[in-house]
Amino acid sequence: MTIVMNFFGNNIEPALIEHLDIYRVFLGIKGKNGVPKIKYKNGHMQYENNMSIVVSQGFKRVSDKEFTINLESTKSLTPAKLYKALCKITLSTIDEKHMVDLKQTVKWLTCVDTPQLRLPRVAANVVHNGFSKVPQIVNYIRKIDDFGIPHIVSEFRIGSFVYVYIIPFSEKDTVDFIADEEYEKFWDTFKHYRSINDWRFDCLDSIKEMSINENIRLVQNGQP
């Protein structure tokens, strides 16, 4: 177990932590080392005196009330590691009795040299209802023999940022929910998600590192 946990800590968890750093700075959410200060090639972000501070050479004035900020990351992201990090949260929070059906999932999670595999899309959105600075996880586990619904689906939330994802490779699933019609049937079943607009459905299959830049839009509302 120690070897497995070290693998997650050194290889998988940083993908999610670094992905969420910008949200943590905006929300002032502390981790093991406090609220992160993020360094970029052209600036930095930090949380100080109960406010987020952005220093960047990438400021652009769109109008008197609107600015955009481009931040060039010094780090890269591997999409498949991000998916694995989300799944790791799920596996650490479900009843151990379900693990017997997730042997292939665990094998995928812990294999360093996993080839690129097709994975279900990850739904992401900003949902202000239910806002919480404390990270939250909700797990849905299928109890009926309707194989158009995944065995396990999870919702991970931090602040207003919500991710909904399927745990892949369960032995209780007969389809992989990659085809559009399979995914749509699953999504239609979760009507409380379907009723919310503006979901983004991300493909996190790639095992290649990607450079990620942040683009922030600031708009002044109301009277000055």
Side-chain angles (χ1 to χ4, degrees), residues 124-144:
N125 206 345
V126 176
V127 182
H128 297 299
N129 184 32
F131 174 91
S132 173
K133 282 192 174 184
V134 179
Q136 298 178 337
I137 180 79
V138 177
N139 299 317
Y140 302 92
I141 300 175
R142 189 185 68 227
K143 294 184 178 180
I144 59 175

Side-chain angles (χ1 to χ4, degrees), residues 26 61 93 120 155 175 209 218:
F26 272 116
R61 184 171 185 159
T93 55
E155 173 196 311
V175 297
E209 290 188 348
L218 302 176

Side-chain angles (χ1 to χ4, degrees), residues 7-29:
F7 173 82
F8 281 131
N10 295 332
N11 295 275
I12 302 302
E13 286 183 349
L16 181 61
I17 292 170
E18 291 172 5
H19 177 67
L20 296 175
D21 272 352
I22 189 169
Y23 307 147
R24 291 173 56 207
V25 172
F26 272 116
L27 298 172
I29 297 175

Side-chain angles (χ1 to χ4, degrees), residues 128-186:
H128 297 299
N129 184 32
F131 174 91
S132 173
K133 282 192 174 184
V134 179
Q136 298 178 337
I137 180 79
V138 177
N139 299 317
Y140 302 92
I141 300 175
R142 189 185 68 227
K143 294 184 178 180
I144 59 175
D145 293 331
D146 182 351
F147 298 107
I149 304 171
H151 176 208
I152 301 176
V153 176
S154 293
E155 173 196 311
F156 176 74
R157 169 191 284 269
I158 181 169
S160 297
F161 300 94
V162 178
Y163 301 85
V164 179
Y165 54 97
I166 296 168
I167 302 303
F169 312 122
S170 170
E171 293 179 14
K172 284 197 171 181
D173 284 330
T174 59
V175 297
D176 55 22
F177 302 97
I178 293 170
D180 288 343
E181 60 271 20
E182 295 170 358
Y183 193 91
E184 284 297 319
K185 182 178 180 181
F186 141 66

Side-chain angles (χ1 to χ4, degrees), residues 73-97:
S73 179
T74 60
K75 299 179 180 179
S76 57
L77 171 71
T78 304
K81 286 186 178 181
L82 178 56
Y83 202 138
K84 286 185 175 184
L86 290 168
C87 291
K88 185 259 183 178
I89 296 173
T90 300
L91 267 59
S92 65
T93 55
I94 61 173
D95 194 301
E96 192 172 344
K97 67 182 181 182

Side-chain angles (χ1 to χ4, degrees), residues 86-113:
L86 290 168
C87 291
K88 185 259 183 178
I89 296 173
T90 300
L91 267 59
S92 65
T93 55
I94 61 173
D95 194 301
E96 192 172 344
K97 67 182 181 182
H98 300 296
M99 296 300 293
V100 67
D101 299 307
L102 301 173
K103 293 176 183 177
Q104 292 303 312
T105 307
V106 173
K107 182 178 179 181
W108 166 68
L109 284 174
T110 56
C111 182
V112 178
D113 298 320

